[in-house]
Coordinates of all heavy atoms in Angstrom, one line a residue:
M1 N 3.1 49.6 121.9 CA 3.1 50.2 123.3 C 2.7 49.2 124.3 O 1.6 48.6 124.2 CB 2.2 51.4 123.3 CG 2.2 52.1 124.6 SD 1.0 53.5 124.8 CE 1.6 54.6 123.6
D2 N 3.5 48.9 125.3 CA 3.1 47.9 126.3 C 2.4 48.7 127.4 O 2.3 49.9 127.4 CB 4.3 47.1 126.8 CG 5.3 47.9 127.5 OD1 5.0 49.1 127.8 OD2 6.5 47.4 127.7
M3 N 2.0 48.0 128.4 CA 1.2 48.6 129.5 C 2.0 49.7 130.3 O 1.5 50.7 130.7 CB 0.7 47.5 130.5 CG -0.6 46.8 130.1 SD -1.9 48.0 129.9 CE -2.6 47.9 131.5
S4 N 3.3 49.4 130.5 CA 4.1 50.4 131.3 C 4.2 51.7 130.5 O 4.2 52.7 131.1 CB 5.4 49.8 131.6 OG 6.2 49.6 130.5
E5 N 4.3 51.6 129.2 CA 4.4 52.8 128.4 C 3.1 53.7 128.5 O 3.2 54.8 128.6 CB 4.7 52.5 126.9 CG 6.1 52.0 126.7 CD 6.3 51.6 125.3 OE1 5.4 51.5 124.5 OE2 7.5 51.4 124.9
G6 N 2.0 53.0 128.5 CA 0.7 53.7 128.6 C 0.6 54.3 130.0 O 0.1 55.4 130.2
T7 N 1.0 53.6 131.0 CA 1.0 54.1 132.4 C 1.9 55.3 132.5 O 1.6 56.3 133.2 CB 1.3 53.0 133.4 OG1 0.5 51.9 133.2 CG2 1.2 53.5 134.8
D8 N 3.1 55.1 132.0 CA 4.1 56.3 132.1 C 3.5 57.5 131.3 O 3.7 58.6 131.8 CB 5.4 55.9 131.4 CG 6.2 54.8 132.2 OD1 5.8 54.7 133.4 OD2 7.1 54.2 131.6
F9 N 2.9 57.3 130.2 CA 2.3 58.4 129.5 C 1.2 59.1 130.3 O 1.1 60.3 130.4 CB 1.8 57.9 128.1 CG 1.1 59.0 127.4 CD1 1.8 59.9 126.6 CD2 -0.3 59.1 127.3 CE1 1.2 60.9 125.9 CE2 -0.9 60.1 126.6 CZ -0.2 61.0 125.9
D10 N 0.3 58.2 130.8 CA -0.8 58.8 131.7 C -0.2 59.5 132.9 O -0.8 60.6 133.2 CB -1.7 57.6 132.1 CG -2.5 56.9 131.0 OD1 -2.6 57.6 130.0 OD2 -2.9 55.8 131.3
A11 N 0.8 59.0 133.5 CA 1.4 59.7 134.7 C 2.0 61.0 134.2 O 1.8 62.0 134.9 CB 2.4 58.8 135.3
A12 N 2.7 61.1 133.1 CA 3.2 62.3 132.6 C 2.1 63.3 132.2 O 2.3 64.5 132.6 CB 4.1 62.0 131.3
M13 N 1.1 62.8 131.6 CA 0.0 63.8 131.3 C -0.7 64.3 132.5 O -1.0 65.5 132.6 CB -1.1 63.1 130.4 CG -0.6 62.8 129.0 SD 0.0 64.2 128.1 CE -1.5 65.1 127.9
E14 N -0.8 63.5 133.6 CA -1.4 63.9 134.9 C -0.5 65.0 135.5 O -1.0 66.0 136.0 CB -1.6 62.7 135.8 CG -2.1 63.1 137.2 CD -3.5 63.6 137.1 OE1 -4.3 63.4 136.2 OE2 -3.9 64.4 138.1
R15 N 0.8 64.7 135.4 CA 1.8 65.8 136.0 C 1.6 67.1 135.3 O 1.6 68.2 135.8 CB 3.2 65.2 135.9 CG 3.6 64.3 137.0 CD 5.0 64.0 137.1 NE 5.6 63.5 135.8 CZ 5.7 62.2 135.5 NH1 5.1 61.3 136.3 NH2 6.2 61.8 134.4
R16 N 1.6 67.0 133.9 CA 1.4 68.2 133.1 C 0.1 69.0 133.5 O 0.0 70.2 133.6 CB 1.4 67.9 131.6 CG 2.8 67.6 131.1 CD 2.9 67.4 129.7 NE 2.6 68.7 128.9 CZ 2.4 68.8 127.7 NH1 2.4 67.7 126.9 NH2 2.2 70.0 127.2
F17 N -0.9 68.2 133.6 CA -2.2 68.8 134.0 C -2.2 69.4 135.3 O -2.7 70.5 135.5 CB -3.3 67.7 133.9 CG -4.7 68.2 134.2 CD1 -5.4 69.1 133.3 CD2 -5.3 67.9 135.4 CE1 -6.6 69.6 133.6 CE2 -6.6 68.4 135.7 CZ -7.2 69.2 134.8
Q18 N -1.6 68.8 136.3 CA -1.5 69.3 137.6 C -0.6 70.6 137.6 O -0.9 71.6 138.3 CB -0.9 68.3 138.6 CG -1.8 67.1 138.9 CD -3.1 67.6 139.5 OE1 -3.2 68.5 140.3 NE2 -4.2 66.9 139.1
D19 N 0.5 70.6 136.8 CA 1.3 71.8 136.7 C 0.5 73.0 136.0 O 0.6 74.1 136.5 CB 2.5 71.5 135.8 CG 3.6 70.7 136.5 OD1 3.5 70.5 137.7 OD2 4.5 70.1 135.7
Y20 N -0.4 72.6 135.0 CA -1.2 73.6 134.4 C -2.2 74.2 135.4 O -2.3 75.4 135.5 CB -2.0 72.9 133.2 CG -3.0 73.7 132.7 CD1 -2.8 74.8 131.9 CD2 -4.4 73.5 133.0 CE1 -3.8 75.6 131.3 CE2 -5.4 74.3 132.6 CZ -5.1 75.3 131.7 OH -6.2 76.1 131.2
L21 N -2.7 73.3 136.3 CA -3.7 73.8 137.3 C -3.0 74.8 138.3 O -3.5 75.8 138.7 CB -4.4 72.7 138.0 CG -5.4 71.9 137.2 CD1 -5.9 70.7 138.1 CD2 -6.5 72.7 136.8
K22 N -1.7 74.4 138.7 CA -1.0 75.2 139.6 C -0.7 76.6 138.9 O -0.8 77.6 139.6 CB 0.3 74.5 140.0 CG 1.1 75.3 141.0 CD 2.5 74.7 141.3 CE 3.4 75.5 142.1 NZ 3.7 76.8 141.6
D23 N -0.3 76.5 137.7 CA 0.1 77.8 137.0 C -1.2 78.6 136.8 O -1.1 79.9 137.0 CB 0.6 77.5 135.6 CG 2.0 76.9 135.6 OD1 2.7 77.0 136.7 OD2 2.4 76.4 134.6
L24 N -2.3 78.0 136.6 CA -3.6 78.8 136.5 C -3.9 79.4 137.8 O -4.4 80.5 137.9 CB -4.7 77.8 136.0 CG -6.0 78.4 135.5 CD1 -5.7 79.3 134.3 CD2 -6.9 77.3 135.1
K25 N -3.8 78.7 138.9 CA -4.0 79.2 140.3 C -3.1 80.4 140.5 O -3.5 81.4 141.0 CB -3.8 78.1 141.3 CG -4.1 78.5 142.7 CD -4.0 77.4 143.6 CE -4.2 77.8 145.1 NZ -4.0 76.7 146.0
D26 N -1.8 80.2 140.2 CA -0.8 81.3 140.4 C -1.2 82.5 139.6 O -1.1 83.7 140.1 CB 0.6 80.8 140.0 CG 1.2 79.8 141.0 OD1 0.6 79.6 142.1 OD2 2.1 79.1 140.6
L27 N -1.7 82.3 138.4 CA -2.0 83.5 137.5 C -3.3 84.1 138.1 O -3.4 85.4 138.1 CB -2.4 83.0 136.1 CG -2.9 84.0 135.1 CD1 -1.8 85.1 134.9 CD2 -3.2 83.3 133.8
G28 N -4.2 83.4 138.6 CA -5.4 83.9 139.3 C -5.0 84.8 140.5 O -5.6 85.8 140.7
A29 N -4.0 84.3 141.2 CA -3.6 85.1 142.4 C -3.0 86.4 142.0 O -3.2 87.5 142.6 CB -2.6 84.3 143.2
V30 N -2.2 86.4 140.9 CA -1.6 87.6 140.4 C -2.6 88.6 139.9 O -2.6 89.8 140.2 CB -0.6 87.3 139.3 CG1 -0.1 88.6 138.5 CG2 0.7 86.6 139.8
V31 N -3.6 88.1 139.1 CA -4.6 88.9 138.6 C -5.4 89.6 139.7 O -5.8 90.7 139.7 CB -5.6 88.2 137.6 CG1 -6.8 89.0 137.3 CG2 -4.7 87.9 136.3
G32 N -5.8 88.7 140.8 CA -6.5 89.2 141.9 C -5.7 90.3 142.6 O -6.3 91.3 143.0
S33 N -4.4 90.1 142.8 CA -3.6 91.1 143.5 C -3.6 92.4 142.7 O -3.7 93.5 143.3 CB -2.2 90.5 143.6 OG -1.3 91.5 144.2
L34 N -3.5 92.3 141.3 CA -3.5 93.5 140.5 C -4.8 94.3 140.6 O -4.8 95.5 140.6 CB -3.2 93.2 139.1 CG -1.7 92.7 138.8 CD1 -1.6 92.2 137.3 CD2 -0.7 93.8 139.1
E35 N -5.9 93.5 140.6 CA -7.2 94.1 140.7 C -7.4 94.8 142.0 O -7.9 95.9 142.1 CB -8.3 93.0 140.6 CG -9.7 93.6 140.7 CD -10.8 92.4 140.5 OE1 -10.4 91.3 140.5 OE2 -11.9 92.9 140.5
I36 N -6.9 94.3 143.1 CA -7.0 94.9 144.4 C -6.2 96.2 144.4 O -6.6 97.3 144.9 CB -6.5 94.0 145.6 CG1 -7.6 92.9 145.7 CG2 -6.2 94.7 146.9 CD1 -7.1 91.7 146.6
R37 N -5.0 96.1 143.8 CA -4.1 97.3 143.8 C -4.7 98.4 142.9 O -4.7 99.6 143.3 CB -2.7 97.0 143.2 CG -1.8 96.5 144.2 CD -0.3 96.5 143.8 NE 0.1 95.1 143.7 CZ 1.0 94.6 142.9 NH1 1.6 95.4 142.1 NH2 1.3 93.4 143.0
H38 N -5.4 98.0 141.8 CA -6.0 99.0 141.0 C -7.2 99.7 141.7 O -7.3 100.9 141.6 CB -6.6 98.3 139.7 CG -7.4 99.1 138.8 ND1 -6.8 100.1 138.1 CD2 -8.7 99.2 138.6 CE1 -7.7 100.8 137.4 NE2 -8.9 100.2 137.7
R39 N -8.0 98.9 142.4 CA -9.1 99.5 143.2 C -8.6 100.5 144.3 O -9.1 101.6 144.4 CB -9.9 98.4 143.9 CG -10.9 97.8 143.0 CD -11.9 97.0 143.8 NE -11.9 95.6 143.3 CZ -12.0 94.6 143.9 NH1 -12.2 94.6 145.2 NH2 -12.0 93.4 143.4
R40 N -7.5 100.1 144.9 CA -6.9 101.0 145.9 C -6.4 102.3 145.3 O -6.5 103.3 145.8 CB -5.7 100.3 146.7 CG -6.2 99.2 147.7 CD -5.1 98.6 148.4 NE -5.5 97.5 149.2 CZ -4.7 96.5 149.6 NH1 -3.5 96.4 149.2 NH2 -5.2 95.6 150.4
S41 N -5.7 102.1 144.1 CA -5.2 103.3 143.4 C -6.4 104.2 143.0 O -6.3 105.4 143.1 CB -4.5 102.8 142.1 OG -4.0 103.9 141.4
C42 N -7.5 103.6 142.5 CA -8.6 104.4 142.1 C -9.2 105.1 143.3 O -9.5 106.3 143.2 CB -9.7 103.5 141.4 SG -9.3 103.0 139.8
R43 N -9.3 104.4 144.4 CA -9.8 105.1 145.6 C -8.9 106.2 146.1 O -9.4 107.3 146.5 CB -10.0 104.1 146.8 CG -11.2 103.3 146.7 CD -11.5 102.5 148.0 NE -11.7 101.1 147.5 CZ -11.2 100.0 147.9 NH1 -10.2 100.1 148.9 NH2 -11.5 98.9 147.5
Q44 N -7.6 106.0 146.0 CA -6.6 107.1 146.3 C -6.8 108.3 145.4 O -6.8 109.4 145.8 CB -5.2 106.5 146.3 CG -4.2 107.5 146.8 CD -4.4 107.9 148.3 OE1 -4.6 107.0 149.1 NE2 -4.5 109.2 148.5
D45 N -7.0 108.0 144.1 CA -7.2 109.1 143.2 C -8.5 109.9 143.5 O -8.5 111.1 143.4 CB -7.3 108.6 141.7 CG -6.0 108.1 141.2 OD1 -4.9 108.3 141.8 OD2 -6.0 107.3 140.1
I46 N -9.5 109.2 143.9 CA -10.7 109.9 144.3 C -10.6 110.7 145.5 O -10.9 111.9 145.6 CB -11.9 108.9 144.4 CG1 -12.3 108.3 143.1 CG2 -13.1 109.5 145.1 CD1 -13.2 107.1 143.1
D47 N -9.9 110.1 146.5 CA -9.6 110.8 147.8 C -8.8 112.0 147.5 O -9.0 113.1 148.1 CB -8.9 109.9 148.8 CG -9.8 108.8 149.4 OD1 -11.1 108.9 149.2 OD2 -9.3 107.9 149.9
D48 N -7.8 111.9 146.6 CA -6.9 113.1 146.3 C -7.7 114.2 145.6 O -7.6 115.4 145.9 CB -5.8 112.7 145.4 CG -4.7 111.8 146.0 OD1 -4.8 111.7 147.3 OD2 -3.9 111.2 145.3
A49 N -8.6 113.8 144.7 CA -9.5 114.8 144.0 C -10.4 115.5 145.0 O -10.6 116.7 145.0 CB -10.3 114.1 142.9
I50 N -10.9 114.7 145.9 CA -11.8 115.3 146.9 C -11.0 116.3 147.8 O -11.5 117.3 148.2 CB -12.5 114.2 147.8 CG1 -13.6 113.5 146.9 CG2 -13.2 114.8 149.0 CD1 -14.1 112.2 147.5
G51 N -9.8 115.8 148.1 CA -8.9 116.7 149.0 C -8.7 118.0 148.2 O -8.7 119.1 148.9
L52 N -8.4 118.0 146.9 CA -8.2 119.1 146.1 C -9.4 120.1 146.2 O -9.3 121.3 146.3 CB -7.8 118.9 144.8 CG -6.4 118.3 144.6 CD1 -6.2 117.9 143.1 CD2 -5.3 119.3 145.0
L53 N -10.6 119.5 146.0 CA -11.9 120.2 146.0 C -12.1 120.9 147.4 O -12.6 122.0 147.4 CB -13.0 119.3 145.6 CG -13.1 118.9 144.2 CD1 -14.2 117.8 144.0 CD2 -13.2 120.0 143.2
D54 N -11.8 120.2 148.4 CA -11.9 120.7 149.8 C -11.1 122.0 150.0 O -11.4 122.8 150.8 CB -11.6 119.7 150.8 CG -12.7 118.6 150.9 OD1 -13.8 118.8 150.4 OD2 -12.4 117.5 151.5
H55 N -9.9 122.0 149.3 CA -9.0 123.2 149.5 C -9.2 124.2 148.4 O -8.4 125.2 148.4 CB -7.6 122.7 149.5 CG -7.3 121.9 150.7 ND1 -7.5 120.5 150.7 CD2 -6.9 122.2 151.9 CE1 -7.1 120.0 151.9 NE2 -6.8 121.0 152.7
T56 N -10.2 124.1 147.6 CA -10.5 125.1 146.5 C -11.3 126.2 147.1 O -12.4 126.0 147.7 CB -11.2 124.4 145.3 OG1 -10.4 123.4 144.9 CG2 -11.3 125.4 144.2
P57 N -10.9 127.5 146.9 CA -11.7 128.6 147.4 C -13.0 128.7 146.7 O -13.4 128.4 145.7 CB -10.8 129.8 147.1 CG -9.7 129.4 146.2 CD -9.8 127.9 146.1

């Protein structure tokens, strides 16, 4: 392996690592979005239940 092959390999590994970090960041954004939606859904369920209790004789 000459120097250029080592440099090419290092550059390829760096690109793969940067792609991995980007994918990880994207995954974190998706998980965060799902968590927010879940919390909103839970709050809506609680509000609906309270609404039902308010209308119970």
Side-chain angles (χ1 to χ4, degrees):
M1 180 186 296
D2 65 15
M3 276 302 267
S4 66
E5 289 175 348
T7 303
D8 291 342
F9 177 78
D10 291 341
M13 292 304 293
E14 178 65 24
R15 282 192 300 273
R16 286 185 69 192
F17 181 69
Q18 292 301 323
D19 288 345
Y20 169 78
L21 290 178
K22 182 186 173 302
D23 291 344
L24 195 58
K25 183 178 177 185
D26 292 345
L27 179 62
V30 168
V31 170
S33 176
L34 291 174
E35 182 180 5
I36 289 169
R37 274 195 245 157
H38 176 71
R39 277 194 236 144
R40 286 182 185 154
S41 176
C42 289
R43 275 190 232 130
Q44 186 61 50
D45 290 345
I46 291 168
D47 289 345
D48 290 347
I50 291 170
L52 289 172
L53 289 174
D54 288 343
H55 292 91
T56 304

